[in-house]
Amino acid sequence: MLVFGQLTDCLSAWRHTIRITPETSEAFIEEAFLVPGTYSDVDGAEMPGPKELDPTSGPLAEFGAELRKYRNLARITQAELASRISYSPSMVGLIETGRQRPSRDFLDRCEEALGLSGELARLWPKITREGAPRWFRPWLQAEQEAARLWLWEPLIVPGLFQIEQYARVIIRGEPGLSEAEIEGAIAERMVRQEVLERSHPPMVWALLDEGVLNRPLGGAETMRRQVEHLIGLASRSTISIQIVPYTAESTTGLLGGFAFAQTDGHPDTVYLESASKGQVLNWPDEGVTALRTQYEAIRSEAHPQHVSLALLREKLEQWT
């Protein structure tokens, strides 16, 4: 039995109580999943409603939350929207809960059915990651879903930490890119960094060679702002930045950077830099095991975190 209460505002759905029995249809539960409320089991014991989708948890979650918002504003159910756009209710449910990537056709039909003017379409670049090379997109997906990230960079500031001015210098340095491609790549890099601003961001451990802080990419002002940004990041409880000093005698990792992404319940993913295209590897590839060993060898030569932060502040003075 479903009991409806009062609609509190145009952005919220009906508050309700659901009595769930073995006969409760899957479609009904799917629709209920999208609506906050309280539930009771067959014995009448009250249970908490399902957890709300966090729109900051990734591009698909953000799109799903926006689609749900505009569907609720239109005061139609998933089934009604599905009928209007000629898709199944289950597909609408999967997309609204961030479990399925929408096609462009799906997006366009939703825009038309809900009377929108680009509110969903603005999210299309985030969903497709079209500003990034195709070979790099699997890493972006792994990075967005990761609970933990480990980064090593001997040459430049990692893309996840770059300010826009610094990123512009790096991307513009790639030969053969058009202005549109350059701007698209910069926008993609900035969107990529939103993973660090989530309510529950991944833990990040980063190792940077000291030379990264001395290479004057973009000039003194750009470097000052970039180092200042690194100091801000290193001050967060979820981010550790350690500097590998010039005095370190180890040559491990000097030929290129790499990164690990770890997601609970899934194999680790590794991104390995190269002169042309990077490589994305999945555990248990032998190369992944070897890179883990290299990472620990590099970290053994790095300054502790508090010493690294002091060094960053020294570099800030250098560029001021």
Side-chain angles (χ1 to χ4, degrees):
M1 175 178 168
L2 181 64
V3 180
F4 291 97
Q6 186 176 6
L7 185 66
T8 56
D9 58 61
C10 65
L11 290 179
S12 65
W14 293 95
R15 183 162 185 83
H16 58 285
T17 300
I18 299 176
R19 186 174 178 81
I20 298 175
T21 70
E23 290 72 34
T24 305
S25 73
E26 182 177 347
F28 182 82
I29 295 173
E30 178 72 24
E31 178 71 12
F33 178 81
L34 300 176
V35 186
T38 56
Y39 299 78
S40 61
D41 60 18
V42 293
D43 297 320
E46 188 173 286
M47 299 158 43
K51 184 178 180 181
E52 283 291 309
L53 180 67
D54 180 4
T56 71
S57 63
L60 296 185
E62 182 179 4
F63 182 87
E66 287 295 285
L67 175 59
R68 181 193 311 173
K69 180 180 77 173
Y70 289 111
R71 178 177 63 79
N72 284 336
L73 282 170
R75 299 188 179 187
I76 60 175
T77 65
Q78 284 182 358
E80 289 169 334
L81 176 60
S83 177
R84 293 185 188 186
I85 65 176
S86 299
Y87 277 81
S88 68
S90 62
M91 177 61 72
V92 175
L94 288 171
I95 292 174
E96 282 197 1
T97 53
R99 290 176 285 168
Q100 176 69 42
R101 188 183 306 274
S103 66
R104 184 69 203 209
D105 178 70
F106 179 94
L107 185 154
D108 290 339
R109 289 178 183 231
C110 285
E111 284 261 339
E112 182 178 358
L114 297 173
L116 304 179
S117 302
E119 289 88 342
L120 296 178
R122 68 179 176 81
L123 297 174
W124 184 245
K126 284 189 179 184
I127 296 170
T128 60
R129 318 309 295 258
E130 60 187 16
R134 288 188 178 275
W135 56 264
F136 191 56
R137 293 175 191 174
W139 170 253
L140 293 178
Q141 183 68 24
E143 192 177 66
Q144 288 293 315
E145 296 173 353
R148 289 162 292 279
L149 294 165
W150 290 267
L151 317 175
W152 157 243
E153 186 53 69
L155 300 173
I156 60 174
V157 173
L160 206 57
F161 293 168
Q162 292 175 8
I163 61 170
E164 183 174 339
Q165 296 92 323
Y166 188 96
R168 186 175 298 277
V169 173
I170 298 294
I171 294 169
R172 191 172 288 280
E174 290 291 324
L177 294 181
S178 67
E179 284 299 316
E181 289 172 327
I182 290 171
E183 293 303 319
I186 293 169
E188 166 60 37
R189 190 155 301 180
M190 296 301 102
V191 167
R192 176 184 169 194
Q193 296 175 9
E194 291 179 3
V195 68
L196 301 178
E197 308 304 325
R198 294 177 183 169
S199 55
H200 299 287
M203 292 292 301
V204 183
W205 293 270
L207 302 175
L208 277 63
D209 188 84
E210 186 176 353
V212 171
L213 307 177
N214 293 323
R215 187 167 288 109
L217 297 178
E221 177 59 18
T222 295
M223 287 303 300
R224 184 192 68 77
R225 297 183 64 182
Q226 178 62 73
V227 173
E228 189 173 51
H229 183 59
L230 290 174
I231 292 172
L233 292 173
S235 301
R236 300 185 186 186
S237 62
T238 55
I239 298 177
S240 167
I241 297 178
Q242 292 178 258
I243 308 301
V244 179
Y246 278 136
T247 55
E249 296 184 359
S250 174
T251 60
T252 302
L254 291 182
L255 293 180
F258 53 86
F260 294 85
Q262 188 176 81
T263 304
D264 295 330
H266 296 277
D268 289 0
T269 303
V270 171
Y271 169 64
L272 180 62
E273 288 183 350
S274 65
S276 55
K277 292 183 179 180
Q279 299 179 56
V280 179
L281 309 174
N282 292 311
W283 191 275
D285 188 286
E286 290 183 2
V288 176
T289 305
L291 287 172
R292 274 288 191 190
T293 302
Q294 287 193 32
Y295 187 89
E296 293 305 321
I298 297 167
R299 181 154 60 179
S300 71
E301 299 284 349
H303 285 310
Q305 190 172 358
H306 70 282
V307 177
S308 297
L309 187 55
L311 181 58
L312 284 170
R313 294 192 174 109
E314 288 180 18
K315 298 300 181 182
L316 180 61
E317 291 297 320
Q318 173 186 314
W319 291 115
T320 299

